[in-house]
């Protein structure tokens, strides 16, 4: 992350759900407070069983990211920082990979937040700030890249099956 600089573009790779974030909070809200069971069918979650949605396997980004990095072989690497969005959510993980002279500006309206996060927030109720502190909110991996190479990175990541948001 030491090469990240003001003006870099942030690329967000979609998560497949909660991943490993916030299960203590989820358990407290869904099971202790709301009295739900993993087998409950939840209309707001597309009529799926709560347990299936909560245990959606974590998306693994390594192959897509390595393929994208290899696509820049032979030129100075335009990827300046990468952050896997784990415990600490977006607001805790992205700043960790940026130098002190950089702040990340993330437009939360640039991607669609998966229903599971809206459902947990409403059920809690949980303040939005806390949701972004605990959960990935639908973005599981963030890449800071030189803007001149963002389109090439998006193309490579998309070809690898990733959904990418700027």
């Amino acid at each position: 992350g030491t090469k990240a600089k003001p003006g870099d573009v942030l690329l967000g790779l979609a998560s497949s759900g909660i991943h490993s974030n916030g299960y203590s909070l989820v358990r407290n809200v869904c099971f202790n407070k709301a009295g739900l069971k993993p087998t409950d069918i939840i209309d707001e979650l597309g009529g799926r069983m709560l347990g299936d949605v909560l245990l959606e396997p974590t998306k693994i980004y390594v192959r897509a990211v390595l393929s994208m990095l290899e696509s820049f072989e032979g030129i100075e690497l335009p990827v300046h920082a990468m952050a896997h969005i784990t415990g600490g959510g977006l607001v805790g993980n992205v700043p960790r990979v940026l130098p002190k002279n950089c702040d990340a500006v993330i437009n939360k309206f640039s991607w669609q937040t998966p229903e599971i996060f809206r459902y947990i927030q409403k059920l809690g109720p949980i303040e939005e700030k806390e949701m972004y502190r605990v959960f990935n909110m639908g973005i599981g991996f963030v890449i800071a890249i030189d803007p001149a190479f963002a389109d090439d990175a998006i193309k490579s990541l998309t070809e690898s099956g990733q959904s990418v948001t700027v």
Side-chain angles (χ1 to χ4, degrees), residues 13 60-69 156-157 160-162:
L13 281 60
I60 305 299
Y61 305 98
V62 67
R63 286 188 181 147
V65 171
L66 286 175
S67 179
M68 182 264 305
L69 292 173
S156 175
L157 292 162
S160 293
Q162 297 300 313

Side-chain angles (χ1 to χ4, degrees), residues 124-159:
I126 302 169
E127 290 184 26
E128 183 179 66
K129 184 176 180 179
E130 180 71 355
M131 292 295 295
Y132 279 89
R133 190 190 67 74
V134 174
F135 298 108
N136 66 53
M137 299 302 287
I139 300 294
F141 200 87
V142 174
I143 299 167
I145 188 166
D146 182 310
F149 296 92
D151 288 342
D152 292 332
I154 291 168
K155 182 176 186 250
S156 175
L157 292 162
T158 302
E159 287 173 354

Side-chain angles (χ1 to χ4, degrees), residues 21-84:
N21 305 4
Y23 275 102
S24 295
L25 181 57
V26 168
R27 184 176 53 250
N28 186 46
V29 168
C30 292
F31 304 124
N32 297 342
K33 184 177 178 187
L36 297 170
K37 298 184 293 286
T39 54
D40 286 347
I41 304 295
I42 309 296
D43 290 338
E44 294 98 315
L45 302 177
R48 295 179 63 198
M49 263 195 316
L50 179 60
D52 288 345
V53 176
L54 294 177
L55 295 177
E56 185 76 33
T58 299
K59 187 175 260 189
I60 305 299
Y61 305 98
V62 67
R63 286 188 181 147
V65 171
L66 286 175
S67 179
M68 182 264 305
L69 292 173
E70 289 169 3
S71 75
F72 294 118
E73 192 171 323
I75 62 172
E76 184 178 342
L77 189 62
V79 172
H80 297 154
M82 295 185 284
H84 192 208

